[in-house]
Amino acid sequence: MTGASGTVHWVGAGLSTGSGLARLCESAARVRLWHRTEDRAAHALAARGLTGRAEPRAYTPDALSAELAPGDVVVSMLPAPEHAGLLAACVARRAHFACSSYVSDAVLEQVPAARAAGLVVLTEAGLDPGIDHLFAHSLVARAREAVGDGTAATYRLTSYCGGVPADPNDFRYRFSWAPLGVLNALRSPARYIDNGAETTTDRPWEATRRHTIEGEAFEAYPNRDSLPFVEQYELPAAWKPSTFVRGTLRLDGWLRAWDGVFAELRRGDDERIAALAQELADRYPTTEKDRDRVVLEVSLDVRGAGGVSWSGGYLLDMVGDEEESAMARCVSRPLALGVRHILDGSLPPGLSRAAQSAARSEQWLRELVPEGVEFTLRVSR
């Protein structure tokens, strides 16, 4: 293990950079915020009350590499395609790496070299992915204890997360992360299990269904590839899924409000979709008066032979305030927690996710509550 130096490089100050940055200013020996220009980095620090507590820097890959020292930690808040390049710089300079995004093939290819250098590569340590994994691991562990690994059973696991306006608008949405990323996610096929069968949809929004949480109606659709998480969540082989889906939550009426957007997605090329993303961002800007809302619900229902059953679910429902958006808090606080675990040497070299096991998930959930990330758990049999 390459010991942590105590210096953290936070790269990017976009919509998801919240109070997690401030928490690292309390625990790290030195924090540098890298942004497009030094003035923008300084302005971002001032807006968060961190002037003098972190050092502003103008980001370029070469400038960052020049300041990296062995044992430093690089936190990437850049778009996911840029993570691999940052990780390569980290490996070359013997620095640890952390982000909140899914593990890409380009990142995976570099994990052996990072491990050999004694470096931590922390991924999927935000909201979704991140807290959703923690919830799922905890529920599966509780169900396994109640039902038994060897008991034949069927189960239904759903994990839905969404950032929505706290005060609904006609568009039924406000962008809480990059608009182009939102649109491109809708263009990516989704694979999941429905009625016991593997199902794939090329246009995820066409699989949108009504979903009720605490009596409130939402719309939910599958995204990405849910199937690898059956193994990652350590569901017993004796249990067979009737439903297994990880997806996105939207306000009721979203499908109808976005009908024109979907028409563009069906026929548009990359250039047109990029232009559409900018048009939508301009048409539906998020102002300082707007408040966002994050809703994350993970539920597991198991029905075993002989009438044995177990049901449980986690719910996180948070509204942003004047200090930060709910999305920024739910992404940056878990990520900062993971970085602190790199700093204290408790994460092993190589690839780590926020949730590698049920035990670690329970630990992180306990630690997130005093961080201002609150949630509820319900269990029934």
Side-chain angles (χ1 to χ4, degrees), residues 4-323:
S5 67
T7 297
V8 174
H9 303 263
W10 189 285
V11 185
L15 293 174
S16 294
T17 294
S19 54
L21 178 60
R23 296 290 289 127
L24 286 179
C25 289
E26 298 171 3
S27 55
R30 172 182 288 176
V31 175
R32 295 178 178 134
L33 176 64
W34 297 80
H35 204 14
R36 294 177 183 175
T37 67
E38 187 171 330
D39 285 344
R40 287 195 177 192
H43 178 75
L45 290 174
R48 293 166 174 82
L50 299 177
T51 301
R53 298 174 62 190
E55 303 168 12
R57 292 288 192 274
Y59 172 71
T60 67
D62 289 342
L64 174 65
S65 293
E67 292 206 37
L68 285 183
D72 285 1
V73 183
V74 171
V75 181
S76 177
M77 301 300 288
L78 300 180
E82 299 187 46
H83 292 334
L86 274 180
L87 178 55
C90 288
V91 173
R93 305 291 291 181
R94 295 182 62 85
H96 305 285
F97 175 84
C99 71
S100 61
S101 302
Y102 287 99
V103 183
S104 67
D105 290 340
V107 167
L108 272 179
E109 290 173 359
Q110 301 182 65
V111 169
R115 184 185 300 110
L119 303 175
V120 177
V121 180
L122 176 65
T123 64
E124 301 184 17
L127 168 64
D128 175 4
I131 298 176
D132 58 340
H133 293 342
L134 303 177
F135 286 172
H137 270 287
S138 175
L139 292 174
V140 171
R142 293 169 186 270
R144 289 174 63 178
E145 182 177 356
V147 177
D149 288 5
T151 302
T154 60
Y155 67 88
R156 172 185 173 84
L157 189 150
T158 60
S159 178
Y160 290 120
C161 182
V164 299
D167 297 314
N169 55 3
D170 291 342
F171 193 49
R172 313 303 287 171
Y173 188 74
R174 287 196 186 277
F175 293 99
S176 55
W177 60 295
L180 183 57
V182 174
L183 297 186
N184 280 334
L186 285 166
R187 300 170 75 195
S188 301
R191 192 166 69 122
Y192 56 103
I193 296 174
D194 186 36
N195 292 321
E198 180 180 319
T199 305
T200 300
T201 176
D202 291 332
R203 297 168 177 166
W205 70 86
E206 294 181 349
T208 299
R209 296 179 179 178
R210 182 182 178 87
H211 188 74
T212 302
I213 301 175
E214 301 284 311
E216 182 178 357
F218 291 89
E219 294 176 351
Y221 62 87
N223 62 16
R224 295 181 175 267
D225 186 356
S226 297
L227 270 62
F229 294 93
V230 173
E231 180 178 355
Q232 184 172 317
Y233 292 163
E234 300 179 328
L235 284 146
W239 298 4
K240 303 304 178 186
S242 59
T243 299
F244 189 96
V245 57
R246 302 177 71 255
T248 299
L249 205 62
R250 293 288 180 253
L251 291 175
D252 189 35
W254 168 81
L255 195 64
R256 182 179 62 256
W258 276 51
D259 188 61
V261 176
F262 301 142
E264 294 266 22
L265 293 178
R266 288 187 180 96
R267 62 175 179 263
D269 56 17
D270 290 348
E271 183 177 351
R272 173 54 193 149
I273 299 307
L276 175 63
Q278 187 58 54
E279 291 170 14
L280 293 175
D282 294 340
R283 196 181 310 165
Y284 303 101
T286 299
T287 70
E288 291 184 358
K289 295 182 179 180
D290 291 317
R291 296 290 174 261
D292 71 326
R293 177 187 179 193
V294 166
V295 182
L296 167 61
E297 184 202 44
V298 182
S299 296
L300 174 63
D301 296 287
V302 183
R303 296 290 178 265
V308 178
S309 64
W310 186 92
S311 178
Y314 278 99
L315 175 62
L316 182 157
D317 191 343
M318 182 185 299
V319 174
D321 55 31
E322 294 180 357
E323 295 184 2

Side-chain angles (χ1 to χ4, degrees), residues 19 318 321 324-334 371-373:
S19 54
M318 182 185 299
D321 55 31
E324 66 180 330
S325 68
M327 184 64 71
R329 171 168 293 196
C330 289
V331 172
S332 69
R333 287 289 182 102
E371 293 289 322
V373 180

